[in-house]
Amino acid sequence: MGDPPTGLTLHYARQLRTEEDFAKLAEDAGIRTCECADFSENSLSVERLHKVLELCLGCEKLRVLKLFKSNVGDSGAKAIADFLEKSHSIEELHLSYNHLTAEGVETMVASVERARSSDQGPLWLRVEHNDVLSPDAVLKDLISRFSVCAGTDLIRCGIKKCLNGRRVHLPHFCSQREGPRGPGPTEGKLPGDSPKGQRSRSNPERGQRRKGGSQQQGKQEGRERRGGALLKP
């Protein structure tokens, strides 16, 4: 990963619900100067996604765009592909936990290949935990037909460079809803969330203390049973 944006970060996560919210966004002067724009966890229709992307095109310094958990599907991918062909500053695009299929991912990858010059750094495209079936085969196909790197070498591949000189990084791509069940990314997780199906491990000694306490209490009660009755303190 590259250095975090040093300029303004625009925070609109979970805040775009009504037309009034979008009107407020359009009047926000920060949209023209920000380096990072967070529109995650909004249920964005294609029409509303168009509005967000149109505003983002007005920001010449935008490096990071977050749209994870925003109900983006393949129709939205076409709007994003158009945005990627026009934006010359974007370095990171976060789209995990949406509803993209292999078709939507390819649409965006193809647009980057058409528009991104060889002297630009690669696009860091996060599309894990979407609806891509057979992700291993899809990734292999994308690498064979487009300028794509799996981004598995996180030391030599990052925001600013690619070890293989490719134009798109697809890190964690194979962790789809139908793919390997590896540890999930931190994207989209709320404070205090525990992975589904796992118990919190914040206090691993709690169960041991309970078990040990019960055993100790039983021994104590056994010692106190002398005449067939439990002696109370």
Side-chain angles (χ1 to χ4, degrees):
M1 298 292 288
D3 297 328
T6 57
L8 175 68
T9 297
L10 198 67
H11 296 284
Y12 274 88
R14 291 176 288 183
Q15 296 184 40
L16 299 177
R17 296 182 176 87
T18 67
E19 291 303 318
E20 288 74 17
D21 295 333
F22 279 87
K24 178 182 176 182
L25 170 63
E27 296 173 357
D28 193 329
I31 194 65
R32 293 186 292 274
T33 59
C34 67
E35 290 191 21
C36 176
D38 186 356
F39 298 106
S40 62
E41 299 186 74
N42 288 297
S43 185
L44 297 176
S45 64
V46 176
E47 180 182 359
R48 288 186 169 182
L49 179 60
H50 270 289
K51 291 181 179 180
V52 168
L53 296 173
E54 184 178 352
L55 290 169
C56 287
L57 283 174
C59 180
E60 297 180 355
K61 297 181 179 180
L62 185 64
R63 292 174 48 200
V64 181
L65 179 56
K66 297 182 179 181
L67 291 166
F68 56 87
K69 298 183 76 172
S70 290
N71 201 35
V72 178
D74 287 352
S75 296
K78 295 178 181 177
I80 294 172
D82 184 59
F83 164 79
L84 290 171
E85 289 198 29
K86 297 175 181 177
S87 175
H88 302 292
S89 60
I90 195 72
E91 297 177 354
E92 300 178 43
L93 179 54
H94 297 258
L95 285 164
S96 58
Y97 294 96
N98 280 294
H99 298 287
L100 299 163
T101 70
E103 180 181 353
V105 174
E106 180 175 330
T107 297
M108 294 185 291
V109 167
S111 72
V112 175
E113 181 155 309
R114 286 193 301 267
R116 215 165 184 88
S117 63
S118 58
D119 59 342
Q120 284 183 282
L123 176 68
W124 191 263
L125 182 58
R126 294 285 296 270
V127 287
E128 70 271 21
H129 295 284
N130 274 272
D131 296 335
V132 178
L133 301 178
S134 304
D136 293 294
V138 171
L139 179 60
K140 184 177 180 180
D141 177 62
L142 289 173
I143 291 174
S144 69
R145 295 190 295 119
F146 297 98
S147 183
V148 168
C149 174
T152 54
D153 190 333
L154 297 180
I155 296 178
R156 292 183 291 178
C157 280
I159 302 301
K160 300 293 185 181
K161 62 180 180 179
C162 175
L163 170 65
N164 301 304
R166 299 301 181 103
R167 297 182 183 181
V168 183
H169 278 137
L170 292 177
H172 317 297
F173 180 81
C174 291
S175 294
Q176 300 293 329
R177 290 192 176 96
E178 296 297 329
R181 301 297 186 184
T186 57
E187 270 188 343
K189 290 190 176 180
L190 300 177
D193 278 358
S194 295
K196 187 178 291 186
Q198 295 185 14
R199 296 180 179 178
S200 172
R201 297 182 180 180
S202 58
N203 194 349
E205 296 181 356
R206 183 181 298 168
Q208 295 178 0
R209 289 204 302 268
R210 286 180 179 176
K211 182 178 179 181
S214 299
Q215 292 175 345
Q216 185 65 27
Q217 182 179 359
K219 292 179 181 179
Q220 181 66 25
E221 289 177 357
R223 287 197 296 268
E224 291 176 344
R225 287 181 184 273
R226 292 294 181 266
L230 177 64
L231 300 178
K232 297 183 179 180

